[in-house]
Amino acid sequence: MAADSERNGTFYITTPIYYVNDKPHIGHTYTTSAADALARYHRMRDEDVLFVTGTDEHAQKVVRAASASGMEPKPFADRVMTSYLEAWDRMKISYDRFIRTSEDEHKEVVSHVFARLLESGDIYKDRYEGWYCVPCETYFREEDLLEGRCCPDCSREVERLTEEAYFFRASAYGTAVLRELEANPDRIKPDSRRNEVLSFLRGGLQDTCVSRANQGWGVPVPGDEEHVVYVWFDALINYLTVAGYTVDDEKFARVWPPNVQLMGKDILTRFHGSLWLAMLMALEIELPELLFAHGWWVSDEGDKISKSRGNVIDPWAEAQLLVEESGCTTDVAVDAVRYYMFREVTFGLDGTFSSEGLLSRFNADLANDLGNLLNRTLPLVERFLDGTLEQPGPGAGELQAEVLQAVARAEEGYETLDFRGMLEAVWELLGAANKFVDERAPWDLHKQGKKVELAAVLYDVVDTIRIAALMIAPIMPTVAEEIWRQLGLEEMGVQMSWSDAAVGKTPAGAEVRRGRPIFPRIDLDRVRQRIASKQAETESEKEEKGDEMISFDDFMKVDLRIAKVIDADPVEGADKLLRLIVDCGEEEPRQVVAGLAQEFSPRELIGESVVLVANLEPATIRGVESQGMILAAGDDKPLALIVPDRDVQPGERVR
Ligand code: MSP
């Protein structure tokens, strides 16, 4: 990235736009918080910033999810997108624009781009032939099909289909994109990811199908209402929409190209690093300055954390845990989660998220290193200087070398997205300041009556805390503000500006005001003990229950009914689960999630009569609501279904 002295116009930062039917989780929060930290840093440098995030709404799965909730796609999207607005509000994401692909402004730009590429011949209509699974709405390659030409996702038979579709001539741009990237080694980071993109491009780009059959949701292909624009093609164009492409030339000139486009590594190679760049080349638009692909948060087993895997980490729940365990404020807890994400793992690499790691870092880095420095320094200023900082006399500036080094490293960290390196630099400075207090022992200077020296030492420490607060402000905005308040800077109206990250800029006359400790220490032993005793409690409850007999009346409380399976398909990402639609003699069929997928294919179950526990409390399993339970025999895994031995009407009671 160019240093800001060379930058003209707006600093433009994007995150991917997130699928509207997902709920925000740690992965989305990670990308978005990184973009937020960058935006805040550049604003502190007095730059004009455009930080954009939003929702990707035209996926076909939105149509399915909406109809499962008995809604039209748009009101459904309106309802679920608010979970992103709420999450970003709680995580203090300071976006300048939230784009939804269902906005008219965006749809117009998509139509425009599509029409233009049709005209130039970069999009053409052709016949598409392949193995198609109707329920999954997906084409599969022959080699990926299951035996008997069955769908690898739902095991149902696929069909040979031929349809007309629109293709983007990506093949014509693969070499040009490759050349560009080879000539500009800094356009994609980290290097390991760049190499993956290069080798993908060296294999040649294939033309991509960029339309789907119109089901009434998406941007219609201009002049051909039977098709809508493919969701990825549509979504990538959001980056152009918000920059004013085709509607506001002055804005576009100021904003384009993006300075940083952030994303996870899974959507770099096939989408941002190739399709997106090829689209820009076809449109003759300058390529983004930097595509940065970060790693994944993985579970302890090394799996990506995601909704489809059911191992989601909710950053908000993690923040609540910190509040419960430490008694800090919610805003401080959110800052601590943000700190943990960027301190724990080098941005660009994979990392393991653990609540225990979060609690330990809260104690070690925040309560001890940062909190302690503040909590021991302010009382000294109160006691020895009547709470007011004086203009430092001779001898101040003893931490100048350490500060210079830390600020230079922090600046480099923000410029190269090395957030971890940046935080390490700040923490080394805090370490140096803590050591400085120990060595210069202000209490001894006071005893010896060395007033000038004492004032200089305390000024240096407060000044260093101020500089540290400035450097961490983009990651921990509330913490920085609270430090600002305690140092008396807020009261004096001092702005947080990066240009003040230098020694001697704490104004004389600042009146410090000690507050409650920002980071109350967590008793980690107590937390561990509590977790252990909770586990022991559950174990013994289980054992007790094993011996218990139930009464006949209790048994009669269980409402067992015959149900007929009308439809069945796999639960996305859960290899043991099936989603069944069953008729149990009620007005509406029910949806039930059953752990049968490994022993039974959906086809085997359709038409089967089974036994349903009909009055079980509904539960959401892997995001799918289950209204009951199907009975099967087998201790660990279902070996056989419990079925009636002759024809029985759905809804008949079983007793
Ligand atoms: N809608 C597309 C993006 C279109 S952009 C023009 C999409 N959306 S998504 O909702 O699936 O969000 C994906 C983003 O979250 C990616 O950047 C992805 O890498 C990130 N993460 C999802 N799970 C993740 C982890 N477990 N860890 C870190 N980030 C991961 O893709």
Side-chain angles (χ1 to χ4, degrees):
M1 272 188 287
D4 58 328
S5 54
E6 301 158 33
R7 265 179 216 132
N8 283 317
T10 300
F11 195 89
Y12 178 26
I13 308 166
T14 70
T15 73
I17 48 172
Y18 305 110
Y19 287 126
V20 73
N21 50 318
D22 283 348
K23 281 254 174 329
H25 61 65
I26 190 79
H28 307 125
T29 306
Y30 191 42
T31 325
T32 316
S33 306
D36 182 62
L38 275 185
R40 288 175 184 271
Y41 166 74
H42 286 279
R43 288 189 200 115
M44 281 175 75
R45 300 196 69 121
D46 248 351
E47 291 172 57
D48 182 35
V49 171
L50 175 62
F51 160 29
V52 184
T53 188
T55 40
D56 183 355
E57 306 192 355
H58 287 146
Q60 296 301 304
K61 52 189 167 189
V62 171
V63 181
R64 280 200 295 272
S67 91
S69 320
M71 291 176 82
E72 288 297 314
K74 182 63 169 66
F76 173 80
D78 289 346
R79 195 182 69 185
V80 291
M81 62 79 68
T82 55
S83 61
Y84 281 94
L85 297 183
E86 281 160 16
W88 299 156
D89 197 34
R90 294 195 297 217
M91 295 309 292
K92 287 179 253 166
I93 305 296
S94 62
Y95 55 81
D96 299 295
R97 166 88 156 89
F98 188 99
I99 182 170
R100 303 180 56 187
T101 51
S102 58
E103 285 170 22
D104 288 344
E105 185 184 339
H106 172 69
K107 292 200 276 190
E108 273 159 33
V109 179
V110 172
S111 302
H112 175 98
V113 166
F114 207 96
R116 177 169 162 187
L117 295 177
L118 264 175
E119 202 180 292
S120 65
D122 282 314
I123 290 184
Y124 57 92
K125 199 171 185 183
D126 202 351
R127 295 196 80 70
Y128 192 84
E129 199 182 338
W131 294 107
Y132 193 70
C133 173
V134 181
C136 296
E137 298 171 63
T138 311
Y139 278 103
F140 291 97
R141 296 185 308 181
E142 176 129 29
E143 58 267 37
D144 295 333
L145 298 177
L146 303 180
E147 232 183 81
R149 296 238 162 85
C150 287
C151 167
D153 281 353
C154 75
S155 327
R156 284 184 257 219
E157 234 171 273
V158 293
E159 290 172 29
R160 188 77 182 162
L161 269 199
T162 307
E163 66 172 339
E164 297 215 292
Y166 290 84
F167 288 81
F168 169 56
R169 206 179 293 284
S171 59
Y173 296 96
T175 312
V177 173
L178 178 64
R179 296 255 157 78
E180 255 306 307
L181 295 180
E182 280 172 343
N184 293 287
D186 290 335
R187 230 193 254 294
I188 295 188
K189 288 280 172 192
D191 290 339
S192 56
R193 299 279 158 245
R194 172 177 181 265
N195 292 337
E196 279 172 21
V197 175
L198 293 182
S199 71
F200 181 72
L201 288 168
R202 286 190 185 113
L205 278 190
Q206 308 270 318
D207 289 357
T208 314
C209 180
V210 290
S211 68
R212 293 289 185 267
N214 191 352
Q215 299 180 22
W217 184 236
V219 183
V221 165
D224 187 350
E225 295 271 325
E226 294 200 348
H227 303 264
V228 287
V229 176
Y230 168 51
V231 64
W232 263 100
F233 200 79
D234 168 346
L236 287 164
I237 293 172
N238 94 83
Y239 303 134
L240 290 168
T241 306
V242 290
Y245 183 60
T246 71
V247 287
D248 186 343
D249 293 345
E250 183 276 320
K251 181 177 184 189
F252 192 66
R254 184 164 35 86
V255 169
W256 200 263
N259 299 75
V260 185
Q261 298 209 272
L262 286 176
M263 73 221 60
K265 62 181 182 178
D266 50 331
I267 54 173
L268 175 69
T269 306
R270 284 178 48 228
F271 298 107
H272 288 83
S274 51
L275 175 62
W276 169 228
L277 300 186
M279 285 162 65
L280 291 175
M281 286 219 161
L283 292 166
E284 298 173 315
I285 300 176
E286 206 179 325
L287 301 191
E289 234 175 59
L290 172 66
L291 300 179
F292 195 106
H294 63 70
W296 282 342
W297 284 105
V298 291
S299 71
D300 294 345
E301 291 90 47
D303 285 341
K304 185 175 116 168
I305 291 170
S306 70
K307 184 177 150 198
S308 53
R309 281 168 212 197
N311 54 0
V312 172
I313 290 205
D314 175 1
W316 181 246
E318 297 296 321
Q320 293 306 311
L321 176 74
L322 276 179
V323 171
E324 271 163 38
E325 298 299 348
S326 78
C328 68
T329 65
T330 308
D331 279 339
V332 166
V334 164
D335 278 17
V337 172
R338 290 171 55 125
Y339 170 79
Y340 173 77
M341 292 191 296
F342 295 109
R343 179 71 196 266
E344 188 68 9
V345 178
T346 301
F347 198 58
L349 302 181
D350 290 351
T352 311
F353 197 105
S354 95
S355 305
E356 189 164 342
L358 171 67
L359 298 179
S360 314
R361 274 209 181 274
F362 183 91
N363 265 3
D365 303 359
L366 300 179
N368 280 2
D369 299 340
L370 175 56
N372 227 7
L373 182 62
L374 190 70
N375 300 341
R376 70 196 293 214
T377 305
L378 298 193
L380 297 176
V381 178
E382 282 175 350
R383 259 174 65 202
F384 302 144
L385 305 178
D386 282 336
T388 308
L389 276 193
E390 294 162 18
Q391 194 60 42
E398 278 195 72
L399 287 165
Q400 165 119 11
E402 287 82 352
V403 167
L404 274 177
Q405 204 196 18
V407 173
R409 280 175 59 199
E411 206 164 290
E412 197 192 331
Y414 280 119
E415 296 289 339
T416 60
L417 279 65
D418 176 12
F419 300 112
R420 187 188 209 188
M422 181 279 294
L423 289 170
E424 276 168 3
V426 177
W427 257 254
E428 274 171 37
L429 180 63
L430 292 173
N434 265 317
K435 193 160 158 242
F436 180 71
V437 176
D438 295 340
E439 285 172 2
R440 303 303 311 271
W443 41 92
D444 287 345
L445 296 175
H446 174 72
K447 261 190 228 150
Q448 293 153 10
K450 296 182 173 168
K451 281 193 165 168
V452 178
E453 220 175 314
L454 173 64
V457 165
L458 288 179
Y459 183 90
D460 282 346
V461 183
V462 169
D463 202 34
T464 307
I465 297 174
R466 177 189 61 85
I467 295 165
L470 277 180
M471 292 192 284
I472 61 174
I475 303 274
M476 293 196 275
T478 301
V479 168
E481 275 164 23
E482 182 55 23
I483 295 177
W484 222 240
R485 208 185 59 75
Q486 296 200 11
L487 296 187
L489 299 170
E490 186 196 64
E491 177 131 73
M492 294 183 90
V494 182
Q495 297 297 310
M496 286 192 205
S497 161
W498 191 265
S499 58
D500 287 341
V503 294
K505 298 219 171 183
T506 305
E511 259 180 71
V512 307
R513 47 193 66 229
R514 229 182 326 158
R516 254 173 22 109
I518 305 177
F519 310 107
R521 279 186 64 83
I522 298 170
D523 184 343
L524 284 177
D525 286 338
R526 213 193 58 202
V527 175
R528 286 190 197 109
Q529 270 172 17
R530 223 195 2 252
I531 293 173
S533 70
K534 238 190 199 155
Q535 276 167 353
E537 226 172 77
T538 337
E539 290 298 314
S540 72
E541 261 174 29
K542 268 194 206 156
E543 275 171 24
E544 271 173 33
K545 280 206 176 120
D547 296 337
E548 240 176 54
M549 302 292 277
I550 62 161
S551 68
F552 176 74
D553 285 349
D554 277 344
F555 169 69
M556 287 310 281
K557 284 184 200 154
V558 184
D559 188 8
L560 297 174
R561 302 264 166 187
I562 295 297
K564 191 165 181 153
V565 181
I566 309 170
D567 201 357
D569 57 18
V571 172
E572 209 180 297
D575 50 12
K576 293 196 178 137
L577 300 181
L578 291 179
R579 185 181 73 102
L580 307 181
I581 304 295
V582 298
D583 170 8
C584 51
E586 296 166 323
E587 238 168 63
E588 293 275 311
R590 291 192 189 202
Q591 169 172 288
V592 180
V593 175
L596 300 171
Q598 286 187 337
E599 283 73 29
F600 301 91
S601 77
R603 244 190 321 168
E604 273 178 84
L605 294 174
I606 296 175
E608 195 70 75
S609 285
V610 293
V611 179
L612 173 80
V613 183
N615 61 343
L616 196 66
E617 223 170 37
T620 303
I621 306 172
R622 301 281 175 107
V624 182
E625 194 188 6
S626 182
Q627 302 152 333
M629 189 176 96
I630 306 290
L631 296 189
D635 235 349
D636 295 321
K637 54 178 192 169
L639 302 174
L641 275 178
I642 311 301
V643 296
D645 66 353
R646 59 203 69 185
D647 252 5
V648 187
Q649 281 299 311
E652 278 301 324
R653 181 116 202 231
V654 180
R655 47 178 85 201

